[in-house]
Coordinates of all heavy atoms in Angstrom, one line a residue:
G46 N -76.0 -219.3 -1.0 CA -75.6 -218.1 -0.2 C -76.7 -217.0 -0.3 O -77.6 -217.0 -1.1
E47 N -76.7 -216.2 0.7 CA -77.7 -215.1 0.9 C -77.3 -213.8 0.2 O -78.2 -213.0 -0.1 CB -78.1 -214.9 2.3 CG -78.6 -216.1 3.0 CD -79.9 -216.5 2.6 OE1 -80.7 -215.7 2.2 OE2 -80.2 -217.8 2.6
A48 N -76.1 -213.6 -0.1 CA -75.6 -212.4 -0.6 C -76.1 -212.2 -2.0 O -76.1 -213.1 -2.8 CB -74.1 -212.3 -0.6
V49 N -76.6 -211.0 -2.4 CA -77.0 -210.6 -3.7 C -75.8 -210.2 -4.5 O -75.1 -209.3 -4.2 CB -78.1 -209.5 -3.7 CG1 -78.4 -209.1 -5.2 CG2 -79.2 -210.0 -3.0
P50 N -75.4 -210.9 -5.6 CA -74.3 -210.6 -6.4 C -74.4 -209.2 -7.1 O -75.5 -208.7 -7.4 CB -74.2 -211.7 -7.4 CG -75.6 -212.1 -7.6 CD -76.3 -212.0 -6.3
A51 N -73.3 -208.6 -7.4 CA -73.2 -207.3 -8.1 C -72.1 -207.4 -9.1 O -71.0 -208.1 -8.9 CB -73.0 -206.2 -7.1
V52 N -72.2 -206.7 -10.2 CA -71.2 -206.6 -11.2 C -70.1 -205.7 -10.7 O -70.4 -204.6 -10.3 CB -71.8 -206.1 -12.6 CG1 -70.6 -205.9 -13.6 CG2 -72.9 -206.9 -13.1
R53 N -68.9 -206.2 -10.6 CA -67.7 -205.4 -10.2 C -66.5 -205.9 -10.8 O -66.5 -206.8 -11.5 CB -67.6 -205.5 -8.6 CG -67.3 -207.0 -8.2 CD -67.2 -207.0 -6.7 NE -66.6 -208.2 -6.1 CZ -66.9 -209.5 -6.3 NH1 -67.9 -209.8 -7.1 NH2 -66.3 -210.4 -5.7
Q54 N -65.5 -205.1 -10.6 CA -64.2 -205.5 -11.3 C -63.7 -206.8 -10.6 O -63.6 -206.8 -9.4 CB -63.1 -204.4 -11.0 CG -63.2 -203.2 -11.9 CD -62.9 -203.7 -13.3 OE1 -63.8 -203.7 -14.1 NE2 -61.7 -203.9 -13.7
P55 N -63.2 -207.7 -11.4 CA -62.7 -209.0 -10.9 C -61.4 -208.7 -10.2 O -60.7 -207.9 -10.5 CB -62.5 -209.9 -12.1 CG -63.1 -209.1 -13.3 CD -63.3 -207.7 -12.9
R56 N -61.2 -209.5 -9.1 CA -60.0 -209.4 -8.3 C -59.4 -210.9 -8.4 O -60.0 -211.9 -7.9 CB -60.2 -209.1 -6.9 CG -60.7 -207.7 -6.8 CD -60.9 -207.2 -5.4 NE -62.0 -207.9 -4.9 CZ -62.3 -208.0 -3.6 NH1 -61.6 -207.4 -2.7 NH2 -63.4 -208.7 -3.2
G57 N -58.2 -211.0 -8.9 CA -57.5 -212.3 -9.0 C -58.3 -213.2 -9.8 O -58.7 -213.0 -10.9
E58 N -58.5 -214.5 -9.2 CA -59.1 -215.6 -9.9 C -60.6 -215.6 -9.7 O -61.3 -216.5 -10.2 CB -58.6 -216.9 -9.4 CG -57.1 -217.1 -9.9 CD -56.9 -217.2 -11.4 OE1 -57.7 -217.8 -12.1 OE2 -56.0 -216.5 -11.9
S59 N -61.2 -214.7 -9.0 CA -62.6 -214.7 -8.7 C -63.4 -213.5 -9.2 O -62.6 -212.4 -9.5 CB -63.0 -215.0 -7.2 OG -62.5 -213.9 -6.5
G60 N -64.7 -213.5 -9.2 CA -65.4 -212.3 -9.6 C -65.6 -212.1 -11.1 O -66.0 -210.9 -11.5
R61 N -65.3 -213.0 -11.9 CA -65.4 -212.8 -13.3 C -66.7 -213.2 -14.0 O -67.0 -212.8 -15.1 CB -64.3 -213.7 -14.0 CG -62.9 -213.2 -13.7 CD -61.9 -214.0 -14.4 NE -60.5 -213.5 -14.0 CZ -59.5 -214.2 -14.1 NH1 -59.5 -215.4 -14.6 NH2 -58.4 -213.7 -13.8
G62 N -67.5 -214.0 -13.3 CA -68.8 -214.5 -13.8 C -69.8 -213.4 -14.3 O -70.2 -213.4 -15.3
L63 N -70.2 -212.6 -13.3 CA -71.2 -211.5 -13.6 C -70.8 -210.5 -14.6 O -71.6 -210.2 -15.5 CB -71.7 -210.8 -12.3 CG -72.9 -211.7 -11.7 CD1 -73.3 -210.8 -10.4 CD2 -74.0 -212.0 -12.6
P64 N -69.6 -210.0 -14.6 CA -69.2 -209.2 -15.7 C -69.3 -209.8 -17.1 O -69.7 -209.1 -18.1 CB -67.7 -208.7 -15.4 CG -67.7 -208.9 -13.9 CD -68.5 -210.0 -13.6
L65 N -69.0 -211.0 -17.2 CA -69.1 -211.9 -18.4 C -70.5 -211.9 -18.8 O -70.9 -211.7 -20.0 CB -68.5 -213.2 -18.3 CG -68.5 -214.1 -19.5 CD1 -67.8 -213.4 -20.7 CD2 -67.8 -215.3 -19.2
V66 N -71.4 -212.3 -17.8 CA -72.8 -212.5 -18.1 C -73.4 -211.2 -18.5 O -74.2 -211.1 -19.5 CB -73.6 -213.1 -16.8 CG1 -75.1 -212.9 -17.1 CG2 -73.2 -214.5 -16.6
D67 N -73.1 -210.1 -17.8 CA -73.6 -208.7 -18.1 C -73.2 -208.3 -19.6 O -74.0 -207.7 -20.2 CB -73.0 -207.7 -17.1 CG -73.7 -206.4 -17.2 OD1 -75.0 -206.4 -17.2 OD2 -73.0 -205.4 -17.3
A68 N -72.0 -208.8 -20.0 CA -71.5 -208.4 -21.3 C -72.2 -209.1 -22.4 O -72.4 -208.6 -23.5 CB -70.0 -208.6 -21.4
V69 N -72.6 -210.4 -22.2 CA -73.1 -211.2 -23.3 C -74.6 -211.5 -23.2 O -75.2 -211.8 -24.3 CB -72.3 -212.5 -23.5 CG1 -70.8 -212.2 -23.8 CG2 -72.4 -213.4 -22.3
A70 N -75.2 -211.5 -22.1 CA -76.6 -211.8 -22.0 C -77.5 -210.6 -22.4 O -77.1 -209.5 -22.3 CB -76.9 -212.2 -20.6
D71 N -78.7 -211.0 -22.9 CA -79.7 -209.9 -23.2 C -80.3 -209.3 -21.9 O -80.7 -208.2 -21.9 CB -80.7 -210.4 -24.1 CG -80.1 -210.9 -25.5 OD1 -79.6 -210.0 -26.1 OD2 -80.3 -212.0 -25.9
R72 N -80.5 -210.2 -21.0 CA -81.2 -209.8 -19.7 C -80.5 -210.8 -18.6 O -80.3 -211.9 -18.9 CB -82.7 -209.9 -19.7 CG -83.3 -209.1 -20.6 CD -84.9 -209.3 -20.5 NE -85.3 -210.5 -20.0 CZ -86.4 -210.7 -19.3 NH1 -87.1 -209.7 -19.0 NH2 -86.8 -211.9 -18.8
W73 N -80.5 -210.4 -17.4 CA -80.1 -211.2 -16.3 C -80.8 -210.6 -15.0 O -81.1 -209.5 -14.9 CB -78.6 -211.4 -16.1 CG -77.8 -210.3 -15.8 CD1 -77.3 -209.3 -16.5 CD2 -77.4 -209.9 -14.4 NE1 -76.6 -208.4 -15.8 CE2 -76.7 -208.7 -14.4 CE3 -77.7 -210.5 -13.1 CZ2 -76.1 -208.1 -13.4 CZ3 -77.1 -209.8 -12.1 CH2 -76.4 -208.7 -12.2
G74 N -80.8 -211.5 -13.9 CA -81.3 -211.0 -12.7 C -81.1 -212.1 -11.6 O -80.5 -213.1 -11.8
V75 N -81.6 -211.8 -10.4 CA -81.5 -212.6 -9.2 C -82.8 -212.7 -8.6 O -83.6 -211.8 -8.5 CB -80.5 -211.9 -8.2 CG1 -80.3 -212.9 -7.0 CG2 -79.2 -211.7 -8.8
R76 N -83.2 -213.9 -8.1 CA -84.4 -214.1 -7.4 C -84.2 -215.0 -6.3 O -83.3 -215.9 -6.2 CB -85.5 -214.7 -8.3 CG -85.4 -216.0 -8.8 CD -86.7 -216.4 -9.6 NE -86.7 -217.8 -9.9 CZ -86.2 -218.3 -11.0 NH1 -85.7 -217.5 -12.0 NH2 -86.1 -219.6 -11.2
D77 N -85.1 -214.9 -5.2 CA -85.0 -215.7 -4.0 C -85.3 -217.2 -4.3 O -86.2 -217.5 -5.1 CB -85.9 -215.1 -3.0 CG -85.8 -215.8 -1.6 OD1 -84.7 -216.0 -1.2 OD2 -86.8 -216.2 -1.0
R78 N -84.6 -218.1 -3.6 CA -84.8 -219.5 -3.9 C -85.4 -220.2 -2.5 O -85.5 -221.5 -2.5 CB -83.6 -220.1 -4.3 CG -83.7 -221.6 -4.7 CD -82.3 -222.1 -5.0 NE -82.4 -223.6 -5.3 CZ -81.6 -224.4 -4.9 NH1 -80.6 -224.1 -4.2 NH2 -81.8 -225.7 -5.2
G79 N -85.6 -219.5 -1.5 CA -85.8 -220.2 -0.2 C -84.6 -220.0 0.6 O -84.3 -218.8 0.9
P80 N -83.9 -221.0 0.9 CA -82.5 -220.7 1.3 C -81.7 -220.5 0.0 O -81.6 -221.3 -0.9 CB -82.0 -221.9 2.1 CG -82.9 -223.0 1.6 CD -84.2 -222.4 1.1
G81 N -81.0 -219.3 -0.1 CA -80.2 -219.1 -1.2 C -80.9 -218.2 -2.3 O -81.9 -217.5 -2.0
K82 N -80.4 -218.4 -3.5 CA -80.9 -217.5 -4.6 C -80.7 -218.2 -6.0 O -80.0 -219.3 -6.0 CB -80.1 -216.2 -4.6 CG -78.6 -216.4 -4.9 CD -77.9 -215.1 -4.7 CE -76.4 -215.3 -4.6 NZ -75.8 -216.0 -3.6

Side-chain angles (χ1 to χ4, degrees):
E47 299 294 327
V49 176
V52 177
R53 64 184 194 302
Q54 279 297 107
R56 290 182 292 169
E58 294 294 316
S59 65
R61 296 181 178 159
L63 274 184
L65 180 60
V66 168
D67 191 51
V69 300
D71 295 303
R72 296 180 339 144
W73 69 271
V75 181
R76 70 174 187 267
D77 188 45
R78 183 182 178 222
K82 62 188 169 292

